[in-house]
Amino acid sequence: MTRLLAAVVASVMAAVALAGCPASQVLAQQAGLTVAGRDTKRLDTRQALLALPGVRNVTIADPVYRRTMTYRAVPLTAILKGVKIDVDDYVQARATDDFSVAIPARLLLFDDPVRAEAFLAIEDPAAPWPRLPGKTYSAGPFYIVWKLAPSVSVSSEYWAYRLAALAVTDSPTKRWPVLAVGPEIGPDDPIRTGLDRFVAVCMACHRFDGAGEGEQGPDLGRPMNPVDYFQLPALKKLIRDPASVRQWPEQKMPGFDAVTLSDRDIDAIVAWLSYKARQHR
């Protein structure tokens, strides 16, 4: 009976301790990171990731935490080594809550690391990261962070936190041709810039005419395109600062400052939306 009682007490204490842990800490203890290529798939444990070449402490000005943070991190190049990836592929980063964003593989593997280098930050269950601003959880168990040259930026969506999986995919326009623009649109046309910015900034939350995986916000092509029911100045203001135009329960869309999304970028997104609206008229 003594041994049984001790086992019961230990079980209860473990349950209490687990209940007091942040969700990300529990995940870090139990799960790993799934890495999938075109025809391969593996699960990397936290210990295996920390044993990869290039693991180091990385100190960055973190735009998600809005402060300087230091992480134990491994370069994404080390994690994706041996996975077949072409320069025009994307890597789908999927979070523990199924939120996902497609990141150009060229940013993760092919760009100059002096200008931009991607790392996977790995949370230590014994010293969990603080909660994200306005959230009840941290960025763990895994978090894509970037070391950027002063003149370089990447989409805010590419700082992918609560990461659970990485998977090589085709580009969004190849997966969903409805997004693409026609050959009549020149390479320097703002419409093409708008498509690029929509993919980089908006598609993580919004689908367009059924294309995409976003479920946080409404489909921007069905049943109507926003340019068909918004005055353009109001639409641009909505993109810049949604709460300044309208408020609604469960509002999740953040505002975008001029560094994250310039006025020129917003004009380009609206140009692409207008182009798509004309195709349906």
Side-chain angles (χ1 to χ4, degrees):
M1 289 297 293
T2 303
R3 185 174 296 176
L4 176 61
L5 180 59
V8 171
V9 170
S11 177
V12 170
M13 290 180 66
V16 170
L18 191 64
C21 288
S24 61
Q25 184 176 342
V26 175
L27 287 167
Q29 292 169 334
Q30 295 180 347
L33 179 73
T34 300
V35 181
R38 298 286 186 180
D39 52 8
T40 61
K41 188 174 183 179
R42 70 176 194 265
L43 180 67
D44 289 346
T45 65
R46 177 178 175 276
Q47 291 75 17
L49 290 166
L50 288 171
L52 289 173
V55 171
R56 69 196 78 166
N57 288 336
V58 176
T59 300
I60 57 168
D62 190 321
V64 177
Y65 273 109
R66 305 171 196 164
R67 66 193 229 190
T68 298
M69 295 285 289
T70 298
Y71 298 105
R72 193 66 176 165
V74 60
L76 259 294
T77 51
I79 295 171
L80 296 173
K81 185 177 181 180
V83 178
K84 184 179 179 181
I85 305 177
D86 293 328
V87 69
D88 59 347
D89 283 338
Y90 276 61
V91 174
Q92 196 81 26
R94 192 173 303 278
T96 55
D97 62 359
D98 213 33
F99 180 88
S100 69
V101 62
I103 305 174
R106 60 178 176 77
L107 286 180
L108 298 175
L109 296 179
F110 299 101
D111 271 11
D112 184 352
V114 173
R115 291 171 49 81
E117 188 172 11
F119 291 84
L120 182 77
I122 302 169
E123 188 176 37
D124 183 352
W129 302 328
R131 293 177 178 178
L132 291 166
K135 306 293 186 181
T136 59
Y137 46 77
S138 80
F142 308 112
Y143 174 25
I144 295 178
V145 301
W146 299 80
K147 289 203 74 170
L148 303 170
S151 60
V152 177
S153 63
V154 299
S155 170
S156 57
E157 302 300 331
Y158 297 165
W159 295 76
Y161 54 81
R162 304 186 80 196
L163 192 66
L166 298 171
V168 178
T169 69
D170 291 329
S171 70
T173 53
K174 190 172 182 180
R175 293 173 72 187
W176 300 291
V178 69
L179 299 171
V181 301
E184 76 281 3
I185 305 300
D188 298 323
D189 193 295
I191 291 172
R192 288 195 181 275
T193 302
L195 170 58
D196 290 341
R197 300 310 291 152
F198 180 83
V199 167
V201 178
C202 308
M203 273 197 80
C205 294
H206 296 279
R207 300 188 186 207
F208 182 83
D209 203 10
E213 298 184 2
E215 296 181 349
Q216 303 294 315
D219 189 310
L220 298 182
R222 294 179 181 175
M224 293 178 67
N225 188 305
V227 301
D228 290 330
Y229 57 86
F230 268 108
Q231 294 180 354
L232 294 190
L235 176 57
K236 293 176 183 179
K237 190 173 183 181
L238 177 72
I239 296 171
R240 169 69 69 211
D241 183 11
S244 71
V245 176
R246 64 182 182 188
Q247 297 182 359
W248 61 97
E250 303 297 326
Q251 182 173 357
K252 296 180 179 179
M253 184 174 174
F256 296 97
D257 61 27
V259 174
T260 304
L261 201 64
S262 68
D263 289 342
R264 186 175 180 180
D265 287 336
I266 291 176
D267 289 343
I269 291 172
V270 172
W272 176 76
L273 287 170
S274 299
Y275 168 81
K276 284 298 175 182
R278 290 193 297 272
Q279 289 184 325
H280 284 270
R281 289 173 188 159

